[in-house]
């Protein structure tokens, strides 16, 4: 049996009671932290609470070298992921591979950044379009390459009057992207493309959702760049036109400028 268990947003205690019981019953516990990361804990703290050794898999182990999956034919294997295991990950691929190998699978859900952003910002969950990720720029032949995919997603969503949830890259070497870096990248894209998608755009930055001191702050994009959101993880929302209750929520919950209520 292979069970996908979401760990929630911030520390080892964000797992659900069902998830905790399943980890404690497991023969083998695997985890991956390249799609998301619980910043308020450590492997040692997880192992102490869960009462099991946790083996951390790399992206290669999860996406290519999946021979470990065959252990789930005989044993009770669980696979832990930050947030909800199937939100903004490619773990459905792992589940389908397991099914093809004759392994039973199940999911135990957990809080996800996708739902937390609506709670923290007051933006309506049903008004979000396709989400996107801003990857770290990289250099090729002395040229800095910046992916324009996030710009296109925001453009499409805005055209359809939908909010965009923008995840920020997690990189083994470069670390956790922060809101300031993400805003600079978006402004650079706007300069290159010049289509006006992000001119005078409002944005909402979210930091450390799920912790005791999450930050949700809204302002015009250029101003958000210099706001101190503190430690990661960070994420960004580019809102569509606001419903009047959403505007009120952004002012009252996220300190947005009053003029957005006009
Ligand atoms: C690719 S998504 C994976 C989402 C995860 N499966 C879930 O359901 O929450 C990971 C990105 O979401 C954002 N994120 C995740 N947890 C967060 C948190 N607690 N606070 C702020 N942003 C977070 C960060 O931008 C991070 O790089």
């Amino acid at each position: 049996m292979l069970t996908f268990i979401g760990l929630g947003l911030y520390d080892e205690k964000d797992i659900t009671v069902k998830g905790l019981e399943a980890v404690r019953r497991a023969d083998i516990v695997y985890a991956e932290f390249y799609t998301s990361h619980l910043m308020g804990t450590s492997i040692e703290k997880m192992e102490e609470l869960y009462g099991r050794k946790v083996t951390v898999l790399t992206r290669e182990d999860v996406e290519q070298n999946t021979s470990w999956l065959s252990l789930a034919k005989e044993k009770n294997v669980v696979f832990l992921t930050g947030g909800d295991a199937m939100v903004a990950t490619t773990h459905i691929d792992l589940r389908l591979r397991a099914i093809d190998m004759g392994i039973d699978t199940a999911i135990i859900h957990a809080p996800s950044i996708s739902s937390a952003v609506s709670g923290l910002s007051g933006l309506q969950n049903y008004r979000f379009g396709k989400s996107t990720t801003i990857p770290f720029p990289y250099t090729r032949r002395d040229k800095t390459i910046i992916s324009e995919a996030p710009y296109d997603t925001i453009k499409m969503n805005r055209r359809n009057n939908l909010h965009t949830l923008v995840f920020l890259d997690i990189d083994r070497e470069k670390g956790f992207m922060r809101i300031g870096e993400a805003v600079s990248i978006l402004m650079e894209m706007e300069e290159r493309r010049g289509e006006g998608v992000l001119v005078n755009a409002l944005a909402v930055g979210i930091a450390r959702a799920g912790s005791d001191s999450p930050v949700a702050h809204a302002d015009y994009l250029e101003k958000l760049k210099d706001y101190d959101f503190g430690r990661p993880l960070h994420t960004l929302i580019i809102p569509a036109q606001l419903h009047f209750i959403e505007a009120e929520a952004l002012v009252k919950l996220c300190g947005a400028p009053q003029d957005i209520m006009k």
Side-chain angles (χ1 to χ4, degrees):
M1 174 93 189
L2 175 67
T3 307
F4 294 84
I5 303 179
L7 291 178
L9 290 166
Y10 189 71
D11 64 35
E12 73 283 359
K13 293 185 192 141
D14 279 342
I15 192 169
T16 63
V17 175
K18 278 186 191 169
L20 183 59
E21 287 172 355
V23 186
R24 286 182 172 163
R25 279 197 308 270
D27 299 314
I28 304 175
V29 180
Y30 289 118
E32 67 78 11
F33 295 109
Y34 65 87
T35 61
S36 202
H37 200 93
L38 274 70
M39 303 301 282
T41 190
S42 61
I43 298 296
E44 292 72 32
K45 283 188 186 165
M46 288 182 204
E47 290 181 335
E48 197 183 326
L49 178 66
Y50 306 158
R52 285 285 177 280
K53 178 173 169 32
V54 176
T55 302
V56 180
L57 300 176
T58 62
R59 175 174 230 138
E60 291 71 33
D61 294 329
V62 174
E63 295 179 0
Q64 289 154 33
N65 314 324
T66 53
S67 52
W68 57 272
L69 263 185
S70 57
L71 294 171
K73 285 184 184 169
E74 308 290 335
K75 304 220 179 234
N76 189 1
V77 175
V78 299
F79 178 77
L80 312 177
T81 307
D84 189 282
M86 296 297 165
V87 173
T89 69
T90 55
H91 299 334
I92 181 62
D93 177 61
L94 213 48
R95 190 172 189 197
L96 296 178
R97 282 188 205 212
I99 290 169
D100 288 346
M101 292 165 74
I103 298 165
D104 287 337
T105 64
I107 301 183
I108 299 178
H109 304 283
S112 167
I113 188 64
S114 283
S115 54
V117 291
S118 286
L120 288 169
S121 67
L123 294 174
Q124 303 281 323
N125 167 260
Y126 58 78
R127 295 199 58 218
F128 278 78
K130 184 178 185 291
S131 30
T132 185
T133 299
I134 300 188
F136 281 104
Y138 61 96
T139 310
R140 199 169 53 203
R141 290 194 211 103
D142 294 336
K143 251 187 108 183
T144 304
I145 313 289
I146 297 182
S147 162
E148 293 188 7
Y151 188 88
D152 287 319
T153 301
I154 295 166
K155 179 177 159 187
M156 180 183 72
N157 283 338
R158 293 197 80 155
R159 196 177 282 160
N160 292 312
N161 200 17
L162 296 170
H163 307 315
T164 308
L165 174 56
V166 184
F167 302 119
L168 309 192
D169 200 5
I170 296 177
D171 182 89
R172 227 185 319 211
E173 273 136 39
K174 295 174 182 158
F176 307 99
M177 185 183 285
R178 290 165 184 259
I179 288 164
E181 290 169 275
V183 171
S184 299
I185 293 169
L186 286 176
M187 287 166 68
E188 168 79 27
M189 282 182 218
E190 179 59 65
E191 212 171 302
R192 286 186 190 191
R193 298 276 294 265
E195 296 175 39
V197 172
L198 295 170
V199 172
N200 296 327
L202 191 70
V204 188
I206 304 279
R208 298 178 305 286
S211 72
D212 291 340
S213 52
V215 177
H217 184 71
D219 209 334
Y220 293 103
L221 206 53
E222 311 83 66
K223 288 206 177 153
L224 216 60
K225 188 160 81 70
D226 299 318
Y227 188 84
D228 182 7
F229 281 91
R231 289 176 297 110
L233 294 180
H234 291 179
T235 197
L236 199 59
I237 308 165
I238 308 293
Q241 272 177 16
L242 299 170
H243 181 272
F244 67 92
I245 294 183
E246 292 180 313
E248 185 179 347
L250 286 188
V251 169
K252 291 186 178 165
L253 300 176
C254 307
Q258 294 276 347
D259 65 11
I260 68 163
M261 289 178 68
K262 282 181 198 148

